[in-house]
Amino acid sequence: KQWYQRRVAITAGILATYVLHQINKDGALRLSGGTRHNLTSEAGKAMDNIRTLVSNKAYAAHIPTLQHCISMILDSSRTFLHTIELLRFLAGTFYDDKPYLSAIMCPQRKALS
């Protein structure tokens, strides 16, 4: 149960941090990689929280995933429109045993009606 809770917490924290990194101080959503990246203090705090997990022994098994996600979040060429790529990565990493998430992981498959 604790392992599952940890995956959910990591997923939620990373997605929230990514979204916060796509909202500029003026409230504008970054939809173009060429737009200025002017982060809010909340985005900085969220990233600090994710970076703290990398040095937490309880999350040692997830360090490669955390580092990959941090690099995705900090990649200024990525925008809000790339959120689904991060979600796919997390779903494939933490929930590959959940067939109902195939719509996220493999978007080319048609959903059952």
Side-chain angles (χ1 to χ4, degrees):
K1 183 177 178 179
Q2 187 179 27
W3 181 74
Y4 183 76
Q5 290 173 334
R6 194 166 288 135
R7 290 189 306 174
V8 170
I10 291 171
T11 300
I14 287 172
L15 286 172
T17 302
Y18 187 84
V19 171
L20 285 169
H21 271 73
Q22 303 311 318
I23 302 170
N24 285 320
K25 283 183 181 178
D26 64 0
L29 192 60
R30 291 185 68 249
L31 299 176
S32 171
T35 57
R36 187 166 181 222
H37 209 130
N38 191 3
L39 299 176
T40 63
S41 61
E42 290 87 3
K45 289 175 189 173
M47 179 55 77
D48 290 344
N49 290 338
I50 297 299
R51 284 183 172 141
T52 300
L53 297 179
V54 174
S55 59
N56 185 327
K57 289 181 183 178
Y59 292 86
H62 304 295
I63 289 174
T65 300
L66 290 165
Q67 290 174 331
H68 180 76
C69 291
I70 288 169
S71 69
M72 289 181 78
I73 293 167
L74 296 177
D75 182 351
S76 62
S77 68
R78 292 182 184 272
T79 68
F80 182 76
L81 301 174
H82 295 96
T83 306
I84 192 67
E85 291 177 19
L86 179 60
L87 182 57
R88 281 185 195 129
F89 172 76
L90 290 167
T93 300
F94 290 138
Y95 309 103
D96 62 336
D97 61 330
K98 306 295 183 204
Y100 50 83
L101 292 177
S102 65
I104 293 170
M105 292 185 281
C106 303
Q108 65 274 15
R109 290 187 193 167
K110 293 197 177 211
L112 298 176
S113 306

